[in-house]
Amino acid sequence: MAETRTSGDLLITLPEDWRAALAALPAAVLEGGRVWLLRGGAGAAGTDAGAAPAGIRDAAEALSREPHLLISAPLIARRIGLQRMDALDLLELFAFVHPARAPVPTLQGLAGALGIPAPRGGPADALRRHHALAEALLAALETLPAGRLKGARALAEALARIGWAWAPLVLAALAGRRGGAEDEALLARRPLWEDVREWENGPPRPPPRGAAVAPDAAEAMLLALRGPASEDRPAQRAFARAAAAAFRPPEVEGAPNVVLAEAGTGTGKTLGYLAPALVWAEMSGGQVWISTFTRNLQRQVREELARALSRLPPSARRPRVLVRKGRENYACLLNVADEAERLFAGTATRPQAVLTALVLRWLTATRHGEIIGGDLPGWLASLVAPAGPAAFTDHRGECLYQGCPHYRRCLIEQVARRTPAADIVITNHAFTITQFAQARDPRQLPRVVVFDEGHHLFHAADSAFAVALSLREGAELRRWLLGRGRRRGLKERIGDLVETDGEAAARFAAVLEAAEVLPGRDALRRIRHGAGTMPFETFLQGVFQLVLARAEPGAREEGYDLACEAVEPPPALEEAAAALARELHVLKHALSALARRLLALAEEKAGEGGMESVIGRLEAAAAGLERRVELVGAWIAMLEELGRSPAGVIDQFVIRRQNRQAVDVGMMRHLLDPAEAFAGTVLARLHGALITSATLNDRRIGADGEADDPARWQSADLLTGVRHLPLPPRRFAAPSPFAWGEQARVLVVRDLPRRRIETLAGAVAALVEAAGGGALVLFTAIRRLAAVAQRLRPRLEGQGLTVHAQHLDPVDTATLVDLFRTAGRGVLFGTDALRDGIDVPGPALRLVVFERVPWPRPDVLHRARRAAFGGRGYDEMLTRFRLAQAFGRLIRSADDRGVFVLLDAGAPGRLFTALPAEVAVARVPLAEAVETVRRFLAAARS
């Protein structure tokens, strides 16, 4: 055995032969719902006798006693009832050796990524592959170019100090390298962020030329993007031609050329709108934003565009494409450096230290620096540190801007400076709305935007324009102003800029003093126990008590947030609100005064020829202060209008909960119709907008003239805000090309009692077993999901099905979908997040089961909008959307075949008018539904 000395006096014992040491390690695998153990190392894996199933108690004892080779330690720990365990997790080793790669986190996924044959036998073969995968990864450390292993030795030594199980083997493998001094220097590098290239300023983009895309030009570009070998898709060509109407100059101020285009599943709407967008960008020299709902959908659009552009002839011009997200999605190098300092000093917790090391390795390989929704594996945070990558981001506007030592390498600034040069910017609804709402220079905004997944615009606008006077928001503002721990307050950001100016220093001191009204550490505990004394906490204390008194019966047991209307407040709460409003007036005045002085200082220094970096810091700080002035002003308005909300807004008191525990409390203000604000803030400032979705309307719209009937588009008009524009939109509908009558069945089970979990679980099991897996089971309540999933998991896994459950398994939603997609015979239990926006083509998803009609929850917000937008008709509209979106997960290609089952006998037939008319809705007993599923899907496999 060899020893190596790391920083400090720590000695690490390294194996002389890491391959022999690896071969002796035990391994564990979760298969068929059971944990199988390989106790004798790789040598014992030669026969099935080496692998044996273990009971929960034996598995927990073995895995607690010594680290085992395994995949996804949190998942296995959860199954056997361990809070945590030390393990040789192959996912951690993969992320260390091959950063910025994200295979599906399974044995098959890792094997495919490393070019190793996937296991074909039973658990013994799977356990053998664990050793093979580990050997391939460690061997790569001996042979990879040093440029791909920057900092590897330094990071492994730092992790050895906190007991990372892989450290001795990793260091032993690195010791076997044959590199020279330059190689050794790269392996030991610590400031890895210094390799990030510096950004450069480019010229401003000139305004676009007036240009109108002709339908023929859009269709020609579509054909080029599809390539000569593609099949003809008439509906897609019609869609591209109709979408062209959004890409032309407007004729009336405040009245953009809006096209509402519903494109049924399988139409190919992405290429259908990219075609006119690319034509307009080239003709006008302008920039088109493609705005979708989630980060995953952004990635899908980028990947489809990249494939399409690769089909263009070599002589064709290639557009510049950029993905934009909120700044909280990118790694902040200053925060990365801070976390690295804690890692090397040995002061970080073990989970956070491991995550920091893996993020530092990722930083050497990332393409764009997107730490959330980018090339950092989504499963990494849940694997090693529940706190996740937020510690590495600028989550709440703490940026030092020019005052940051890493400013010239800043990943956020890099993408911001590349934006003007891009022809196509792929963004998301939240970012788009925020940019328009906060834009100080309208010249930086696009003239044309495509809103994909347009049925989500109402929800996105609701989130964007809501105001929360809550404990969480108050604490965040306090941290932004005063700092806490490693969080930088105003003093760290601008203290050096104001200390030499008497007026600025005085105003700065006034802000810090006024900020003391904001809630501090442990405020939630004081509020829950009625021990708050400061005005902010006293007000929230009254809100907390009032919500508990007025919450709907049974709401606590359901696990949802608790809420009540902000009406008829008790006198004590009115007094607390008035006292808090007075304190916030002082804070608002102090913030505003400091912002004005900082801007004046910036002007003075500009006139004196001062440093651009100092001027930029002053202006950035002033802009941040002004945004907080607006926020505090909105809080004051809410407090002064308590109990008498103005027209057009909905005020409510809320207790936010996770796992039935309060995590936040406050007063929320929502707009009654956020789509109206979206229309005025975003749409009215555009020249053109295409709003498209497969479910833009809650009722099916066919071809041949029906699209011109405004009465068929009421739901789309309501949820997109176009009814608030001076001119009506153009409307287009493309039916799905799928043969729905042949490819799908819709069944409503009519004989299932509603309230017995045992009966519900039995029905779900029978349907899933009849389908042979490939089942997405959706619930309207987490409590019922948990009860059914826990009851059925042993039974289904015992039949060889792979079972995953949202809210139960310690895995992020995107990874859950990846696991389900690759399982083949998988079962995925989920709620709303899995009802919309996931893409699982083929037999991996052949059955969708909805446990009951997904009616909207009758909370305060919904009740107010229900009264304003049509009563029961509004309820049914939202429910039709939800059913259509869930049904839309089932058939994703012309070869798919599937069954949609609703376990709710009382479902009104009018809810199914959003589904394809070719699919008849059959109301049948459970036994007949099970047999229909078995026969229909068996025919697809034959």
Side-chain angles (χ1 to χ4, degrees):
M1 305 297 282
E3 292 183 341
T4 185
R5 185 178 298 276
T6 69
S7 57
D9 296 323
L10 180 68
L11 287 176
I12 305 171
T13 301
L14 303 183
E16 294 180 0
D17 182 350
W18 64 260
R19 286 177 172 82
L22 174 65
L25 290 173
V29 66
L30 184 65
E31 187 162 311
R34 306 178 73 180
V35 175
W36 292 71
L37 300 178
L38 181 66
R39 302 177 189 273
T47 65
D48 286 353
I56 290 179
R57 180 176 299 178
D58 289 342
E61 181 181 349
L63 291 171
S64 299
R65 188 168 53 246
E66 61 179 325
H68 283 54
L69 281 176
L70 49 76
I71 294 174
S72 190
L75 190 60
I76 294 178
R78 177 73 65 90
R79 294 293 183 88
I80 60 178
L82 292 178
Q83 290 296 319
R84 65 175 302 275
M85 63 185 183
D86 291 333
L88 292 151
D89 198 322
L90 287 164
L91 294 177
E92 292 181 24
L93 183 60
F94 185 95
F96 187 91
V97 178
H98 297 297
R101 291 177 60 184
V104 178
T106 62
L107 183 58
Q108 291 78 7
L110 291 181
L114 295 175
I116 292 175
R120 297 181 179 277
D125 191 25
L127 289 164
R128 263 197 304 274
R129 291 298 193 275
H130 281 62
H131 286 83
L133 292 173
E135 183 173 1
L137 290 167
L138 292 168
L141 294 175
E142 293 184 327
T143 58
L144 282 172
R148 291 181 56 186
L149 294 173
K150 292 177 182 177
R153 176 171 289 130
L155 292 171
E157 290 178 350
L159 290 176
R161 296 183 63 82
I162 52 93
W164 189 45
W166 282 113
L169 289 169
V170 167
L171 288 168
L174 290 172
R177 294 180 63 83
R178 298 290 189 269
E182 184 177 350
D183 184 303
E184 290 300 308
L186 286 172
L187 293 177
R189 286 198 60 178
R190 287 173 58 171
L192 299 171
W193 46 88
E194 292 182 357
D195 287 336
V196 178
R197 73 175 186 274
E198 294 187 352
W199 48 261
E200 297 178 350
N201 283 322
R205 191 183 189 101
R209 299 181 293 273
V213 176
D216 288 347
E219 184 176 358
M221 176 60 78
L222 171 65
L223 297 177
L225 294 173
R226 283 177 12 192
S230 64
E231 62 175 330
D232 185 35
R233 304 171 77 174
Q236 189 183 45
R237 288 191 282 111
F239 178 91
R241 295 180 68 88
F247 297 88
R248 57 191 180 90
E251 299 175 2
V252 177
E253 183 181 6
N257 298 302
V258 176
V259 176
L260 293 183
E262 182 169 273
T265 305
T267 301
K269 61 181 171 61
T270 304
L271 290 188
Y273 62 65
L274 286 171
L278 292 170
V279 173
W280 186 84
E282 184 169 0
M283 290 176 61
S284 68
Q287 183 181 87
V288 179
W289 283 18
I290 311 296
S291 180
T292 187
F293 186 53
T294 66
R295 292 183 292 260
N296 288 332
L297 292 170
Q298 283 182 264
R299 185 176 67 247
Q300 291 177 24
V301 173
R302 175 171 61 187
E303 291 171 352
E304 186 161 357
L305 177 56
R307 289 192 295 269
L309 293 176
S310 70
R311 303 184 193 110
L312 295 178
S315 59
R317 176 182 177 271
R318 293 299 192 274
R320 289 160 294 190
V321 180
L322 183 74
V323 174
R324 277 301 302 268
K325 303 174 183 178
R327 62 185 303 117
E328 68 278 2
N329 292 282
Y330 298 89
C332 166
L333 296 183
L334 185 57
N335 285 341
V336 169
D338 283 352
E339 292 294 334
E341 182 179 348
R342 297 177 66 211
L343 165 67
F344 288 110
T347 59
T349 63
R350 182 182 298 185
Q352 194 63 27
V354 174
L355 181 59
T356 298
L358 298 181
V359 166
L360 288 168
R361 287 285 296 131
W362 163 82
L363 195 61
T364 67
T366 179
R367 292 183 59 197
H368 306 293
E370 300 166 52
I371 200 167
I372 298 176
D375 50 12
L376 184 76
W379 39 259
L380 196 58
S382 59
L383 181 71
V384 294
F392 304 94
T393 69
D394 174 27
H395 191 62
R396 288 282 180 165
E398 299 170 303
C399 185
L400 304 179
Y401 294 95
Q402 288 92 334
C404 176
H406 309 289
Y407 182 65
R408 287 304 308 273
R409 293 186 176 88
C410 176
L411 297 165
I412 305 165
E413 294 294 329
Q414 285 195 26
V415 71
R417 280 163 172 76
R418 291 200 305 269
T419 299
D423 302 303
I424 303 293
V425 177
I426 303 171
T427 180
N428 56 70
H429 298 339
F431 180 82
T432 300
I433 296 171
T434 299
Q435 291 300 107
F436 274 78
Q438 296 182 355
R440 299 183 181 276
D441 184 356
R443 293 172 298 181
Q444 297 176 351
L445 298 174
R447 300 292 191 273
V448 183
V449 177
V450 175
F451 294 98
D452 199 351
E453 299 294 311
H455 61 281
H456 284 298
L457 284 173
F458 190 94
H459 173 74
D462 187 29
S463 297
F465 296 115
V467 180
L469 172 54
S470 70
L471 173 62
R472 180 172 292 170
E473 292 298 316
E476 286 294 344
L477 180 55
R478 181 187 180 94
R479 284 192 287 267
W480 190 83
L481 292 170
L482 301 180
R484 192 181 77 187
R486 293 173 48 256
R487 301 291 292 270
R488 301 170 191 86
L490 274 181
K491 184 175 181 180
E492 288 76 14
R493 292 197 297 274
I494 63 170
D496 60 314
L497 300 181
V498 302
E499 61 185 4
T500 58
D501 182 88
E503 183 179 353
R507 294 183 179 184
F508 182 81
V511 166
L512 299 186
E513 181 180 357
E516 292 294 341
V517 69
L518 300 168
R521 191 188 299 269
D522 294 331
L524 181 58
R525 178 184 57 80
R526 291 190 294 275
I527 289 168
R528 293 178 63 181
H529 291 87
T533 56
M534 299 293 287
F536 208 116
E537 295 179 13
T538 301
F539 172 72
L540 294 181
Q541 195 168 282
V543 169
F544 191 87
Q545 294 167 353
L546 194 66
V547 172
L548 293 180
R550 295 181 178 179
E552 294 291 333
R556 291 196 195 189
E557 289 70 30
E558 286 289 336
Y560 297 114
D561 294 343
L562 303 177
C564 68
E565 293 179 282
V567 298
E568 300 296 330
L573 186 59
E574 289 184 311
E575 293 173 6
L580 177 56
R582 289 192 294 271
E583 296 283 352
L584 290 178
H585 270 296
V586 175
L587 176 60
K588 178 186 175 185
H589 175 77
L591 293 171
S592 182
L594 178 58
R596 290 195 302 271
R597 183 54 193 156
L598 294 182
L599 288 176
L601 275 176
E603 292 181 6
E604 292 172 10
K605 293 186 180 298
E608 298 167 357
M611 294 177 60
E612 182 181 345
S613 62
V614 172
I615 297 169
R617 287 177 62 194
L618 289 166
E619 291 176 340
L625 288 165
E626 288 172 346
R627 286 195 295 272
R628 272 73 186 184
V629 168
E630 294 176 3
L631 174 63
V632 175
W635 288 352
I636 293 170
M638 293 167 67
L639 293 167
E640 293 181 342
E641 294 162 353
L642 182 63
R644 45 183 179 84
S645 304
V649 303
I650 307 162
D651 288 337
Q652 61 178 333
F653 298 135
V654 180
I655 298 175
R656 302 289 186 201
R657 301 200 297 170
Q658 292 179 1
N659 299 323
R660 301 189 184 184
Q661 296 296 316
V663 294
D664 193 19
V665 57
M667 181 178 178
M668 293 290 301
R669 170 164 285 186
H670 289 265
L671 298 180
L672 180 64
D673 184 3
E676 181 178 9
F678 171 74
T681 303
V682 181
L683 294 180
R685 300 168 73 180
L686 292 170
H687 287 183
L690 170 66
I691 303 176
T692 184
S693 170
T695 52
L696 200 55
N697 288 277
D698 68 308
R699 296 177 184 273
R700 181 187 59 85
I701 295 182
D704 303 327
E706 287 184 343
D708 295 327
D709 181 4
R712 306 284 306 243
W713 290 79
Q714 290 181 355
S715 56
D717 291 352
L718 170 67
L719 297 180
T720 62
V722 298
R723 65 194 186 116
H724 300 291
L725 295 174
L727 296 178
R730 298 193 179 201
R731 299 181 174 92
F732 170 83
S736 170
F738 297 150
W740 294 105
E742 300 175 10
Q743 291 182 251
R745 295 288 183 268
V746 177
L747 308 174
V748 179
V749 174
R750 69 186 186 203
D751 62 346
L752 193 68
R754 287 192 55 160
R755 297 192 177 275
R756 291 182 59 83
I757 287 294
E758 298 84 353
T759 306
L760 173 61
V764 169
L767 291 164
V768 169
E769 290 165 353
L776 174 63
V777 186
L778 297 172
F779 292 80
T780 57
I782 297 174
R783 180 174 56 85
R784 288 193 295 276
L785 181 155
V788 172
Q790 290 169 344
R791 191 177 291 266
L792 293 185
R793 193 190 292 270
R795 170 176 170 176
L796 298 177
E797 289 182 335
Q799 299 178 36
L801 302 180
T802 303
V803 179
H804 296 286
Q806 186 189 16
H807 305 292
L808 298 183
D809 293 343
V811 181
D812 65 285
T813 301
T815 300
L816 278 177
V817 174
D818 287 340
L819 292 169
F820 175 64
R821 185 185 293 114
T822 57
R825 301 186 70 230
V827 184
L828 179 55
F829 295 95
T831 52
D832 282 358
L834 298 178
R835 189 190 63 225
D836 189 7
I838 69 169
D839 186 20
V840 184
L845 177 51
R846 49 189 178 267
L847 172 68
V848 173
V849 179
F850 224 136
E851 51 99 23
R852 63 175 60 182
V853 172
W855 297 108
R857 289 190 62 243
D859 55 21
V860 173
L861 195 58
H862 175 73
R863 283 199 296 266
R865 288 176 177 157
R866 184 182 191 274
F869 298 144
R872 188 178 73 177
Y874 180 67
D875 283 346
E876 294 182 354
M877 176 191 74
L878 296 180
T879 306
R880 278 192 291 269
F881 271 119
R882 293 173 181 180
L883 289 173
Q885 290 154 11
F887 177 81
R889 303 309 100 213
L890 192 61
I891 306 297
R892 309 299 293 174
S893 71
D895 298 326
D896 281 359
R897 194 176 178 94
V899 183
F900 181 88
V901 182
L902 180 62
L903 301 176
D904 193 337
R910 58 186 176 275
L911 296 181
F912 298 98
T913 56
L915 304 186
E918 302 90 330
V919 183
V921 178
R923 296 179 181 270
V924 297
L926 176 62
E928 185 177 338
V930 170
E931 184 58 27
T932 299
V933 168
R934 180 178 291 110
R935 284 188 286 103
F936 186 71
L937 295 180
R941 294 191 291 267
S942 62

